[in-house]
Amino acid sequence: MANVIKDNDRSRALAESKWIVFLTSIMLLILVIWGALSSIQLHYNYQKSLMDSVTKSVLAEYQEHLTQLRLTIDQFQFRHASALAQLVLSGNQTSKDEYMELLTQLREEVDDVRLFAIVDSSGKGVLSQLTGEFLPDCREEIDDTLLRGSQENLFLHRSPNGFHYDLLQPLLVDEQAGLFLFVAFDPAVLERILTQHQLPYQQLFLMRSDQSGKIEFGTEISLEKSHDQSIYMSGEEVHQFDFLKPIPGTRWQLAIRLAPEYNARVYLESILQALLLWGVTTGFVYLFYQAQRRRLYKQRIMEKELSFKTSHDELTGTMNRATFEGQLAGFIAQHSGQLMMEGVVLLIDIDQFQLVNNSFGYSAGDSCLNLLSFALRRQLPAQAKISRLSSDEFAVMLPELHHELAHGFAEKVRQQIEQFDFTHIAPDLSLSASVGAFVLDGQQLGSEEVFNALAQAVRLAKSKGGNRVQLYHSDDVALSQHAQEMNVVRELRAALNDNRLQLYRQRLRALSDASQASRYEVLVRLIDHHGSLLTPDKFIPAAEKYGLISQVDHWVIEATFAAIAKDIGDNSSHYSINLSGVTLGDKGIISFVHTMLEKYQVAPQRIGFEITETYAITHLSAAIAFIEQMTAIGCEFSLDDFGSGLSSFSYLQQLPVHNLKIDGVFIRNICDNRLNQVFVETMHRLAKEMGKKTVAEFVETESAQHYLSSIGVDYAQGYHHHKPEFWFEYSADVTGS
């Protein structure tokens, strides 16, 4: 069934994988398209940063060029001031030779000069007979300069002879204020500056700022082309420019845009690269999916084979022990607490099977087991589970067999084994089996309990001679004792779950100093489901035998701390808690005690722990480690049942305990037994020499207490002074552990 479920899970996983591959492909396509668009935007941002840098460089060079021209013109005026003054004085009487001589000199000193003129304060040309009348564009610029006092609106002027731009500088001639030197320049240098700063995929234009869309020239439109006709861009085209910056002191603005073919190419390349990446990656994903599909198919076959090998016995093909235990545990858990009338487990132990191996060889023995398992499976109902537990043991679970039929069915199985013909393997070979039967009534706590019970039944069957069936629920004394233990274990587990444990306490009387704070030993009792009180001797041995003693100890520790915390009127009484050897060896017990002390805010000095002498001696290092760590925080320790071990005195000096509790076997009749008196006096004297206090247990008479007081024993504990009293039961104050 588990394999079928696993196969269905794999098929579902493969179907889901197809969708995952499809969705992954879609998501990948979205991602690569998003990446392509991001790359395009990145290219665009990069180009914008470049265009911004180009704009700054061109503007700076234009301004530097114009500034340098004006400075050069002023320097020329200083050097030729007398010649310029003579021209002004001569006016329209100036000869062409005089003018050309000065123009030639100007062209030698200043690049790209076309002509110069002198303008008076009214805007008229002083040398008009030589330079002619100004063009309308030039007249507009002259009038604007005279009005403003400086040239602020420089622009290109068109004439039949080409393009030029004018610079008007105040004439630096003494006593000639109000006159301007007019110099016309060839604009080729302006076009050259644009071309020099043009980067790949960029288009630079010099446009008029006062005439929307009019292009003076650009890297795509030369001066010659623009001279043929005025070139204009539409408003929509102008808005497509990424940078449009005015040039100070002019009627120009610098415009930069990316070449349209660049944008188209970037989009096309980015999308194609994204689609190529998507196609290749999707191909790899699909190939990986196909590889995984083939791998899962092979794995499914291998797992089926491996699962069978790991869950079944290699020789007989029946379930192995672990698989059978899992099946049994699942059945028990499914029907836990229910009143069941069906469900039986058999344990089949082949009698003296080792003799078969020794007499006929292991090969013959294996053949017998193989044939026997085949015969059993053929007889068992379809829903039965069979397992080979060990070399000569088989277990069978019959989940639908009625309890009343358990013994009869087990007997049929026994008879089949006894009557099976093995002579073809070896002459005179026959087998018999001892069969234990256990009915599942819904009260079992686990498969371990069932196997323990079956083992008890099979042992009893073998002790009666073997080749017989033994039902676990019978009147046999051994089985009854085991059943009683199981009942106690069930009661204890239920009590731990339902918090049906109670704390009692018994006072220790101080024999030497009555002013000491009260001291108690903590005791535990169990309330069974009938409401009866069980003393520790009824359930502690079973708890130790079946691994529940640590849970009991943890409960007692937390309940004790909760009880101390609840008793707010008592801030000094001291309480001793018994710990089992199993709990003492638990690495987590120390952190648990720390946690409980902090949770209930109990002073460690009010807590003591008692460990038995036997465990302390046999697990010396673990006992010392635990005692030292608990003593370090203030807890006290007592060595219980002192004197019962043969090696007490040799190991006592290694155990850092505070108190020695003298075993009650020496105390009960101490007044009538001189040998016990010697033992007790010796143990007390030894304890005093080592700085430890002594506690006498089972003090039941006044005479015993008087004697113990006379030899200096520190504390007496027993019915004479105080019988155990109820102290605490579980409440909301205790969370359990």
Side-chain angles (χ1 to χ4, degrees):
M1 183 64 182
N3 289 334
V4 172
I5 294 174
K6 187 177 290 186
D7 287 343
N8 291 336
D9 290 342
R10 284 199 185 94
S11 299
R12 189 162 46 251
L14 283 173
E16 292 174 354
S17 297
K18 291 180 181 178
W19 277 104
I20 291 174
V21 170
F22 176 74
L23 293 176
T24 301
S25 178
I26 297 300
M27 291 296 297
L28 185 59
L29 179 60
I30 294 173
L31 287 174
V32 296
I33 293 297
W34 177 79
L37 295 177
S38 299
S39 176
I40 292 169
Q41 185 62 40
L42 187 63
H43 275 284
Y44 179 70
N45 292 337
Y46 174 67
Q47 288 292 344
K48 283 188 68 174
S49 66
L50 292 178
M51 287 188 284
D52 182 58
S53 176
V54 169
T55 300
K56 292 178 180 178
S57 298
V58 171
L59 290 178
E61 191 159 345
Y62 272 168
Q63 289 177 315
E64 182 181 359
H65 171 69
L66 295 175
T67 302
Q68 186 63 38
L69 279 181
R70 295 184 188 277
L71 180 60
T72 305
I73 291 170
D74 288 343
Q75 292 174 345
F76 173 79
Q77 290 191 68
F78 283 123
R79 287 194 294 271
H80 303 280
S82 59
L84 288 170
Q86 184 61 42
L87 289 180
V88 172
L89 290 175
S90 299
N92 56 13
Q93 302 298 320
T94 303
S95 66
K96 183 178 180 180
D97 292 337
E98 290 176 327
Y99 172 80
M100 289 304 298
E101 181 181 357
L102 193 57
L103 177 60
T104 301
Q105 193 68 37
L106 178 59
R107 287 175 174 172
E108 290 178 355
E109 296 184 16
V110 183
D111 294 334
D112 300 325
V113 173
R114 300 184 69 174
L115 59 83
F116 77 91
I118 298 174
V119 181
D120 63 15
S121 59
S122 64
K124 294 182 179 181
V126 175
L127 306 175
S128 58
Q129 80 280 8
L130 298 175
T131 60
E133 292 297 329
F134 295 111
L135 295 172
D137 286 349
C138 298
R139 171 59 59 189
E140 179 185 347
E141 189 168 18
I142 291 170
D143 291 342
D144 183 77
T145 302
L146 292 175
L147 180 64
R148 295 175 180 273
S150 61
Q151 190 177 15
E152 299 291 342
N153 288 301
L154 181 67
F155 62 97
L156 287 184
H157 309 299
R158 286 179 172 83
S159 70
N161 298 323
F163 286 102
H164 70 275
Y165 65 93
D166 304 330
L167 288 184
L168 280 80
Q169 291 286 93
L171 188 63
L172 304 179
V173 177
D174 293 341
E175 300 180 357
Q176 299 297 330
L179 299 180
F180 282 83
L181 179 63
F182 175 96
V183 183
F185 290 92
D186 188 338
V189 64
L190 301 179
E191 183 182 26
R192 188 167 59 252
I193 290 174
L194 286 187
T195 305
Q196 288 175 348
H197 287 84
Q198 181 188 23
L199 294 178
Y201 312 115
Q202 292 183 2
Q203 295 178 347
L204 283 68
F205 298 92
L206 194 65
M207 302 178 67
R208 288 288 291 270
S209 58
D210 58 336
Q211 298 180 30
S212 178
K214 183 179 181 181
I215 299 176
E216 301 280 33
F217 56 85
T219 56
E220 310 303 312
I221 302 174
S222 65
L223 281 168
E224 289 74 12
K225 290 182 181 180
S226 62
H227 179 259
D228 296 337
Q229 57 180 345
S230 296
I231 298 176
Y232 285 87
M233 286 186 176
S234 65
E236 182 179 351
E237 289 179 302
V238 172
H239 284 101
Q240 292 177 355
F241 280 93
D242 299 286
F243 279 86
L244 202 63
K245 295 290 183 69
I247 301 175
T250 72
R251 294 185 186 182
W252 295 326
Q253 54 186 357
L254 179 63
I256 304 181
R257 71 179 182 187
L258 285 174
E261 63 273 12
Y262 172 76
N263 288 331
R265 198 191 76 178
V266 169
Y267 269 88
L268 182 61
E269 289 182 354
S270 298
I271 295 299
L272 287 177
Q273 288 176 359
L275 292 177
L276 179 62
L277 176 62
W278 170 75
V280 171
T281 307
T282 300
F284 276 117
V285 171
Y286 182 75
L287 291 175
F288 177 76
Y289 161 74
Q290 291 294 339
Q292 287 293 94
R293 183 181 178 186
R294 288 191 294 271
R295 185 186 64 80
L296 287 175
Y297 179 75
K298 292 180 180 178
Q299 183 180 354
R300 182 188 305 177
I301 297 175
M302 293 177 62
E303 283 185 356
K304 284 183 178 180
E305 297 176 353
L306 182 61
S307 175
F308 187 85
K309 289 181 179 179
T310 56
S311 61
H312 289 72
D313 178 55
E314 184 176 358
L315 175 64
T316 63
T318 61
M319 292 181 184
N320 59 23
R321 184 184 186 102
T323 305
F324 185 83
E325 286 184 352
Q327 295 276 349
L328 178 59
F331 182 83
I332 293 173
Q334 183 181 358
H335 299 87
S336 178
Q338 301 177 9
L339 181 60
M340 296 174 56
M341 300 302 295
E342 295 179 344
V344 176
V345 183
L346 305 180
L347 179 62
I348 305 168
D349 190 307
I350 309 301
D351 295 327
Q352 298 181 337
F353 185 73
Q354 187 60 38
L355 292 178
V356 176
N357 289 328
N358 294 339
S359 302
F360 303 102
Y362 284 95
S363 177
D366 290 346
S367 298
C368 289
L369 293 174
N370 198 4
L371 289 172
L372 185 58
S373 66
F374 178 77
L376 289 174
R377 279 180 288 180
R378 187 172 58 184
Q379 179 182 347
L380 295 174
Q383 71 276 9
K385 312 291 183 183
I386 182 171
S387 168
R388 182 187 176 208
L389 300 182
S390 62
S391 62
D392 57 358
E393 281 187 333
F394 291 88
V396 178
M397 182 173 68
L398 303 151
E400 297 182 6
L401 183 65
H402 199 279
H403 292 171
E404 294 180 357
L405 303 177
H407 190 280
F409 190 89
E411 180 62 26
K412 287 182 180 179
V413 171
R414 185 198 66 76
Q415 291 177 7
Q416 183 187 19
I417 296 173
E418 185 180 28
Q419 297 169 4
F420 194 84
D421 184 12
F422 293 100
T423 55
H424 61 285
I425 298 177
D428 301 324
L429 175 59
S430 62
L431 296 176
S432 66
S434 299
V435 182
F438 185 89
V439 296
L440 301 170
D441 56 10
Q443 302 303 311
Q444 289 74 36
L445 299 175
S447 58
E448 182 180 356
E449 178 185 344
V450 175
F451 279 116
N452 286 335
L454 286 170
Q456 290 278 356
V458 168
R459 278 196 292 270
L460 182 60
K462 285 186 175 294
S463 68
K464 293 179 180 180
N467 194 23
R468 68 182 62 242
V469 172
Q470 178 65 56
L471 188 63
Y472 179 74
H473 287 298
S474 69
D475 296 330
D476 187 270
V477 175
L479 295 182
S480 296
Q481 181 181 353
H482 184 264
Q484 290 175 3
E485 288 182 348
M486 292 296 99
N487 288 333
V488 170
V489 170
R490 281 194 289 270
E491 283 287 358
L492 179 55
R493 286 183 174 172
L496 287 168
N497 292 331
D498 301 337
N499 296 296
R500 284 191 277 106
L501 296 177
Q502 292 183 349
L503 290 186
Y504 277 62
R505 63 181 181 179
Q506 186 177 29
R507 189 189 302 273
L508 279 68
R509 180 175 180 178
L511 300 180
S512 57
D513 184 2
S515 64
Q516 291 187 24
S518 299
R519 301 176 71 88
Y520 297 91
E521 180 180 356
V522 178
L523 308 171
V524 64
R525 303 288 188 265
L526 185 151
I527 307 297
D528 66 14
H529 66 283
H530 298 298
S532 301
L533 187 70
L534 300 183
T535 54
D537 59 301
K538 298 293 193 301
F539 61 89
I540 291 298
E544 292 177 337
K545 184 175 181 180
Y546 293 98
L548 297 176
I549 191 62
S550 288
Q551 295 182 51
V552 174
D553 286 349
H554 280 68
W555 189 95
V556 171
I557 291 171
E558 182 169 6
T560 299
F561 291 175
I564 294 173
K566 191 173 182 180
D567 192 0
I568 57 176
D570 182 5
N571 296 319
S572 59
S573 295
H574 186 275
Y575 291 89
S576 293
I577 303 171
N578 288 281
L579 291 182
S580 69
V582 175
T583 302
L584 194 64
D586 181 8
K587 295 181 180 180
I589 184 61
I590 296 174
S591 63
F592 177 76
V593 173
H594 279 284
T595 301
M596 293 299 104
L597 287 171
E598 183 176 352
K599 177 178 179 179
Y600 294 102
Q601 295 296 300
V602 174
Q605 292 75 16
R606 298 184 62 189
I607 301 298
F609 293 102
E610 296 186 12
I611 58 175
T612 63
E613 175 197 21
T614 303
Y615 181 86
I617 292 173
T618 55
H619 300 80
L620 188 63
S621 59
I624 292 175
F626 180 73
I627 293 172
E628 287 178 344
Q629 292 191 56
M630 288 293 96
T631 302
I633 64 173
C635 294
E636 188 177 282
F637 271 86
S638 299
L639 193 63
D640 201 7
D641 298 336
F642 184 69
S644 60
L646 297 177
S647 304
S648 301
F649 296 106
S650 61
Y651 285 98
L652 181 59
Q653 58 183 339
Q654 299 182 50
L655 292 168
V657 296
H658 304 84
N659 308 311
L660 299 181
K661 297 191 73 173
I662 302 173
D663 196 332
V665 70
F666 300 107
I667 305 300
R668 281 196 178 96
N669 61 348
I670 192 169
C671 294
D672 303 321
N673 190 319
R674 179 54 188 164
L675 187 58
N676 284 352
Q677 292 177 9
V678 172
F679 270 118
V680 172
E681 290 175 9
T682 301
M683 287 185 282
H684 172 67
R685 191 160 49 250
L686 177 64
K688 288 302 179 182
E689 290 295 330
M690 300 181 69
K692 307 179 189 301
K693 294 184 178 181
T694 51
V695 180
E697 299 179 307
F698 294 96
V699 179
E700 299 175 350
T701 64
E702 176 64 30
S703 58
Q705 180 172 304
H706 178 73
Y707 173 77
L708 294 169
S709 178
S710 67
I711 64 173
V713 172
D714 298 286
Y715 297 97
Q717 180 182 358
Y719 278 22
H720 174 68
H721 172 63
H722 184 241
K723 292 182 179 181
E725 63 179 7
F726 171 76
W727 181 36
F728 183 78
E729 66 180 344
Y730 182 88
S731 69
D733 297 323
V734 183
T735 61
S737 59

